[in-house]
Amino acid sequence: MKLLDVGSIYKGFEYPKEFLKIVHLGLTDFDFWYLMDYEQAVWRIKGLQERYPDRKLVPFARRGDNDDIVCFDIDRGGRVQKIHDFASAGWEQRKDYESFWDWFREAIDEMIEEGECDEI
């Protein structure tokens, strides 16, 4: 999976090693959530800069059934933010996670909980 070179947009940014491990393992689709590929990330980061110019967000995953995305927040030490994209500025924030793993656990838990009701 090709990743966006965010360091060219936000100097010094590096993806957290936890995120890179998930990408390396090919874990990209968690039923409701999936990691954004290069083209999706380029489109989203440009849009985020226009919609929320006071924030420095690096999108990496989106939910398939609504406009929620998750981003690394450069101004908050790389914490992960759940954003309801396309909401008016000031109303976009949904949840703040201390780390990538905190968001990842929640995404996996959602997949498990909802999957118990699904038939394959």
Side-chain angles (χ1 to χ4, degrees):
M1 183 169 144
K2 181 180 176 184
L3 296 176
L4 177 62
D5 177 16
V6 181
S8 66
I9 300 169
Y10 297 121
K11 238 184 192 20
F13 176 82
E14 293 182 14
Y15 288 103
K17 64 182 181 345
E18 299 85 359
F19 173 74
L20 294 174
K21 180 176 183 172
I22 295 303
V23 171
H24 176 75
L25 292 171
L27 303 174
T28 60
D29 189 336
F30 320 114
D31 201 10
F32 298 104
W33 289 96
Y34 60 90
L35 300 186
M36 290 183 213
D37 63 21
Y38 176 83
E39 290 79 20
Q40 293 169 334
V42 167
W43 181 77
R44 285 289 181 150
I45 200 165
K46 288 178 184 177
L48 289 168
Q49 289 172 324
E50 292 170 9
R51 289 184 289 281
Y52 314 114
D54 294 334
R55 301 189 74 174
K56 292 180 182 171
L57 301 169
V58 177
F60 65 86
R62 73 171 298 238
R63 194 167 161 115
D65 61 347
N66 62 37
D67 288 329
D68 286 351
I69 61 174
V70 284
C71 309
F72 298 112
D73 189 336
I74 292 179
D75 288 336
R76 301 208 56 220
R79 290 177 72 96
V80 172
Q81 306 299 313
K82 185 187 296 183
I83 302 293
H84 188 69
D85 202 5
F86 306 104
S88 299
W91 295 95
E92 75 278 8
Q93 186 72 37
R94 290 286 183 246
K95 191 165 183 180
D96 172 47
Y97 302 89
E98 189 171 324
S99 70
F100 171 78
W101 287 132
D102 290 337
W103 168 78
F104 185 75
R105 280 186 195 96
E106 185 173 284
I108 297 301
D109 285 345
E110 286 179 22
M111 180 178 67
I112 292 168
E113 288 170 16
E114 296 296 325
E116 291 176 352
C117 300
D118 291 346
E119 292 187 31
I120 298 177

